[in-house]
């Protein structure tokens, strides 16, 4: 049984069946209703270990599913004396915490054992108890929370959330049953599609907050024709705008640290993550997850310091792309090297199926964060939510060779070429810099030399503020900036 093992959550629960769930004493993050095995496992991982396979809070419960010693003994991973049996190659706690597939398998095996402990569990399937439909997956989920005995009390009491039917944090077994409406038997083959791989194991900034979401097209306030937003704009909680300057950036996973014109990049076996707009220039080196790698700055985002965070994965890790411009863009994927201002620049399912396994794609960073984080401001208004999306963590295999993409180049060249460039608008720049002239400079230096020559000829007419001498100065400034890239 797993009681009082839960990691505490702070967000209020949106209850699926208000009567049965209203007795949850401790607020927790509600999970979406799962109707397939992969989604169910993701739900349990989020509720138990915040989606992090390496979770070890020191309370005797381990991994993404927070399985304790008694459960691990029950499924053959541990002996009574606390030593490891070597099952599925797991010979130590470190092995267990670093092997997502073993944790997935342990959870499913434990769930099937709990079904047998319920006796004739099939008698409950299809019933509605206190507004909650009982499914096979719901029984597995509910018994994982409170043990088979606690779930049985909930079932036989008509859905009463008392006694053994709640865990040590006050979460009712019926909560897990309601959130996991899965009728199929889960074999484990479905896990990869629903998130059986590895999430990022560290946040890129301390206590991150998303203020501009992934997948937006031509975001208002981000400059004319800014195209697809192929990353998430993030700042540390409580450090918006200028307060973000010099805040530390951390490697979200282990890998090789590289440096480019717009920021830094960490390349690993399953992920490439980009930390753009940083003005830090550290030496290339091997880094561990959670290691400080740079500072938040304002390179190419003058007037609004923040982290533009991008996650790239190889095609072998992309299972599908759901991209409906104007409707659903949370899970668009974009080939690295493709044009961000091409309205049709996202990858279709056909393109994905024919792509080389070593082609890299931009994916939604929210799906790979180690836990869900707040979404605020216009991002919350546009997305209609105040929390990042559930993470699915699909990468589950190492890349055999260095991935490439058509049109992609080395770190410096790719970054200098404008991957993920945040086009600061004149309005936001002026608000931060308190200078209309600075706003004009920021926008004009985004253009190429030919456009600038034309702009300088027209600049004399801009509200009577800029004469030809200033326009010439701006042109020189632009050339200097372009030379530095």
């Amino acid at each position: 049984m797993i009681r009082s093992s839960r990691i505490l959550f702070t967000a209020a629960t949106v209850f699926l069946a208000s009567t049965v769930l209203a007795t949850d004493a401790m607020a927790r993050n509600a999970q979406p209703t799962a109707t397939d095995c992969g989604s169910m496992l993701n739900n349990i991982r989020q509720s138990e270990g915040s989606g992090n396979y390496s979770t070890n809070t020191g309370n005797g419960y381990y991994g993404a599913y927070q399985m304790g010693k008694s459960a691990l003994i029950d499924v053959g991973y541990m002996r009574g004396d606390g030593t490891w049996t070597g099952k599925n190659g797991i010979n130590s706690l470190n092995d267990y915490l670093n092997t997502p597939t073993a944790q997935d398998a342990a959870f499913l095996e434990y769930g099937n054992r709990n079904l047998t402990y319920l006796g004739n569990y099939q008698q409950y399937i299809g019933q509605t108890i206190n507004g909650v439909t009982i499914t096979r997956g719901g029984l597995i989920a509910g018994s994982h929370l409170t043990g088979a005995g606690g779930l049985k009390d909930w079932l036989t009491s008509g859905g009463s959330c008392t006694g053994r039917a709640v865990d040590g944090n006050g979460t009712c077994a019926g909560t897990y049953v309601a959130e996991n409406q899965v009728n199929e038997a889960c074999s484990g083959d479905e896990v990869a599609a629903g998130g059986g791989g590895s999430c990022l194991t560290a946040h890129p900034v301390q206590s991150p907050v998303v203020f501009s979401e992934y997948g937006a097209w031509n975001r208002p306030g981000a400059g004319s024709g800014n195209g697809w937003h192929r990353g998430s704009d993030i700042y540390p909680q409580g450090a918006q705008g200028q307060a973000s300057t010099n805040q530390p950036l951390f490697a979200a996973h282990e890998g090789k640290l590289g440096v480019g014109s717009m920021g830094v990049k960490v390349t690993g076996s399953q992920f490439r993550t980009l930390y753009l707009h940083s003005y830090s220039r550290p030496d290339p080196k091997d880094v561990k997850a959670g290691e400080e790698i740079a500072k938040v700055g304002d390179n190419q985002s003058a007037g609004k310091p923040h982290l533009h965070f991008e996650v790239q994965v190889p095609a072998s890790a992309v299972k599908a792309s759901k991209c409906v411009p104007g409707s659903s863009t949370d899970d668009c994927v974009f080939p690295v090297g493709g044009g961000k201002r091409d309205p049709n620049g996202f990858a279709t399912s056909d393109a994905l199926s024919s792509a080389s396994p070593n082609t890299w794609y931009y994916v939604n960073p929210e799906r790979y964060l180690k836990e869900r984080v707040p979404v605020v401001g216009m991002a919350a208004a546009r997305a209609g939510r105040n929390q990042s999306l559930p993470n699915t963590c699909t990468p589950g295999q190492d890349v055999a060779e260095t991935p490439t993409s058509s049109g992609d180049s080395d770190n410096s060249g790719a970054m200098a070429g404008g991957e993920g460039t945040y086009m600061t608008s004149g309005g936001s720049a002026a608000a931060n810099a308190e200078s209309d002239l600075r706003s004009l400079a920021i926008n004009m230096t985004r253009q190429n030399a030919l456009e600038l020559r034309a702009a300088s000829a027209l600049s004399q007419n801009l509200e009577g503020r800029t004469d030809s001498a200033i326009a010439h100065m701006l042109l020189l400034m632009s050339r200097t900036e372009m030379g530095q890239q």
Side-chain angles (χ1 to χ4, degrees):
M1 293 182 359
I2 301 179
R3 304 182 56 124
S4 68
S5 63
R6 220 66 45 222
I7 295 174
L8 300 184
F9 297 94
T10 57
T13 303
V14 179
F15 297 122
L16 299 174
S18 58
T19 304
V20 69
L21 306 179
T23 59
D24 282 9
M26 297 295 291
R28 61 179 288 274
N29 287 338
Q31 299 301 320
T33 303
T35 57
D36 60 77
C37 291
S39 297
M40 180 182 79
L41 267 67
N42 187 59
N43 272 0
I44 304 301
R45 288 195 298 270
Q46 292 297 324
S47 294
E48 296 288 317
S50 296
N52 187 357
Y53 283 98
S54 62
T55 297
N56 180 7
T57 58
N59 62 358
Y61 296 87
Y62 310 117
Y65 301 98
Q66 286 290 281
M67 292 183 66
K69 179 179 176 181
S70 61
L72 291 167
I73 290 172
D74 205 7
V75 294
Y77 283 83
M78 291 183 72
R79 303 182 182 91
D81 62 1
T83 59
W84 296 82
T85 64
K87 182 174 180 176
N88 287 337
I90 306 302
N91 293 292
S92 66
L93 176 58
N94 187 61
D95 286 346
Y96 183 74
L97 295 177
N98 287 282
T99 312
T101 53
Q103 293 185 41
D104 296 332
F107 166 77
L108 290 174
E109 187 172 352
Y110 185 57
N112 287 329
R113 285 183 177 271
N114 276 328
L115 289 179
T116 65
Y117 299 153
L118 288 172
N120 182 19
Y121 71 89
Q122 294 185 16
Q123 66 182 302
Y124 301 109
I125 294 176
Q127 292 187 37
T128 299
I129 297 178
N130 210 359
V132 177
T133 301
I134 310 303
T135 64
R136 189 180 193 278
L139 294 176
I140 289 175
S143 59
H144 188 80
L145 178 74
T146 61
L151 178 62
K152 198 166 190 178
D153 286 357
W154 183 81
L155 291 166
T156 57
S157 68
S160 175
C161 294
T162 57
R164 295 192 302 172
V166 296
D167 78 339
N169 290 328
T171 302
C172 181
T175 302
Y176 275 30
V177 176
E179 288 177 344
N180 296 283
Q181 296 288 292
V182 179
N183 287 300
E184 62 190 293
C186 302
S187 66
D189 293 336
E190 311 90 347
V191 174
S198 299
C199 274
L200 301 171
T201 54
H203 284 315
V205 298
Q206 187 174 11
S207 302
V209 172
V210 174
F211 73 89
S212 192
E213 76 282 15
Y214 174 93
W217 168 256
N218 283 345
R219 291 165 300 144
S224 176
N226 57 88
W228 293 106
H229 196 220
R230 300 182 296 188
S232 294
D233 287 342
I234 293 173
Y235 57 75
Q237 194 161 25
Q240 183 176 2
Q242 294 293 340
S244 289
T245 303
N246 284 326
Q247 292 286 328
L249 296 175
F250 305 101
H253 58 100
E254 68 176 20
K256 186 76 173 179
L257 177 64
V259 181
S261 174
M262 289 176 60
V264 297
K265 176 188 287 187
V266 177
T267 301
S269 61
Q270 299 183 42
F271 298 103
R272 288 196 310 207
T273 48
L274 283 77
Y275 310 74
L276 302 187
H277 308 318
S278 167
Y279 57 74
S280 304
R281 291 295 177 265
D283 292 331
K285 62 178 181 177
D286 293 324
V287 294
K288 298 293 186 182
E291 181 177 341
E292 183 174 335
I293 55 174
K295 301 286 189 183
V296 175
D298 62 0
N299 188 33
Q300 294 202 8
S301 183
K304 193 171 185 179
H306 67 278
L307 166 65
H308 174 92
F309 184 57
E310 295 178 350
V311 174
Q312 300 172 5
V313 300
S316 56
V318 181
K319 303 301 178 184
S321 174
K322 181 181 180 181
C323 192
V324 183
S327 176
S328 176
T329 57
D330 289 337
D331 292 308
C332 293
V333 297
F334 304 94
V336 171
K340 68 170 295 194
R341 293 176 180 81
D342 178 359
N344 298 311
F346 56 90
T348 64
S349 296
D350 288 343
L352 283 169
S353 63
S354 62
S356 162
N358 296 321
T359 302
W360 286 96
Y361 288 91
Y362 295 94
V363 290
N364 193 337
E366 293 182 20
R367 296 296 195 188
Y368 299 88
L369 295 173
K370 73 169 190 172
E371 61 192 9
R372 302 177 76 175
V373 304
V375 176
V376 300
M378 288 306 297
R382 287 191 295 258
R385 52 186 167 83
N386 57 15
Q387 190 180 42
S388 58
L389 296 165
N391 52 5
T392 51
C393 312
T394 50
Q397 57 184 325
D398 287 350
V399 181
E401 58 186 273
T402 302
T404 59
S405 282
S406 175
D408 193 16
S409 54
D410 63 79
N411 293 0
S412 298
M415 288 197 218
E419 291 185 10
T421 302
Y422 183 92
M423 301 291 285
T424 304
S425 71
S428 64
N432 283 281
E434 298 180 353
S435 168
D436 287 342
L437 182 59
R438 177 169 173 77
S439 173
L440 177 61
I442 290 167
N443 282 330
M444 291 186 71
T445 53
R446 300 281 184 236
Q447 304 175 65
N448 62 34
L450 181 61
E451 291 171 327
L452 278 170
R453 291 189 183 98
S456 66
L458 294 171
S459 62
Q460 297 179 47
N461 298 320
L462 292 177
E463 300 180 7
R465 299 177 185 225
T466 308
D467 60 18
S468 59
I470 294 177
H472 181 67
M473 177 189 70
L474 295 175
L475 178 58
L476 293 177
M477 289 169 58
S478 172
R479 288 173 175 169
T480 300
E481 180 182 287
M482 292 172 66
Q484 290 174 346
Q485 292 182 3

